[in-house]
Amino acid sequence: QGYLWLRDNIKPNTKVFGFVVNGPITGMDKFICYWCENIRNFKETGINQSASDINSFLKGQGYKYLIVDGQFVKKYGANETEKMVSKLGSSSLFKAAHQTNGFLLFELL
């Protein structure tokens, strides 16, 4: 449901980042430069950074949204997912744009 909302409510080719996902983003007519070395590296190191550092890096690359979804939970576990959601949600640099079961879309502010 979350990805369908993304497809129907966010303009095509909008830059959307996911720490784990690539295919569902591009499959919904959004953009992630998953072949870019700096993005590949950030997918591995970014989860350990502060909300400010995550926001700064993504904004610097032109990203507008960030996804935390079930694939994030699968890769990093429930505790790390909760930490990430709390870190982003409690900052003034991200706001929840849409949430469904297993999908949370943050807008970069």
Side-chain angles (χ1 to χ4, degrees):
Q1 288 179 337
Y3 285 100
L4 294 176
W5 187 92
L6 179 71
R7 180 193 66 199
D8 294 340
N9 293 280
I10 306 294
K11 293 186 326 184
N13 296 315
T14 299
K15 285 188 164 187
V16 178
F17 181 82
F19 283 103
V20 181
V21 295
N22 294 315
I25 293 172
T26 58
M28 295 299 150
D29 297 326
K30 307 308 172 256
F31 181 82
I32 183 168
C33 190
Y34 60 87
W35 59 89
C36 296
E37 184 175 354
N38 63 337
I39 297 299
R40 285 195 325 265
N41 290 339
F42 190 73
K43 282 176 164 282
E44 297 301 320
T45 63
I47 66 160
N48 298 317
Q49 296 183 19
S50 69
S52 178
D53 289 341
I54 293 169
N55 182 281
S56 179
F57 175 81
L58 293 177
K59 280 181 110 173
Q61 300 299 311
Y63 285 84
K64 305 289 184 195
Y65 296 92
L66 181 150
I67 293 172
V68 177
D69 66 355
Q71 295 302 313
F72 190 99
V73 177
K74 188 175 180 180
K75 181 171 182 176
Y76 294 107
N79 289 340
E80 288 301 316
T81 303
E82 179 62 33
K83 286 180 191 175
M84 178 61 75
V85 168
S86 179
K87 174 171 46 177
L88 300 179
S90 65
S91 80
S92 60
L93 302 170
F94 296 87
K95 78 171 183 178
H98 185 72
Q99 183 174 2
T100 62
N101 192 21
F103 179 93
L104 182 53
L105 179 68
F106 285 101
E107 182 177 3
L108 281 70
L109 300 175

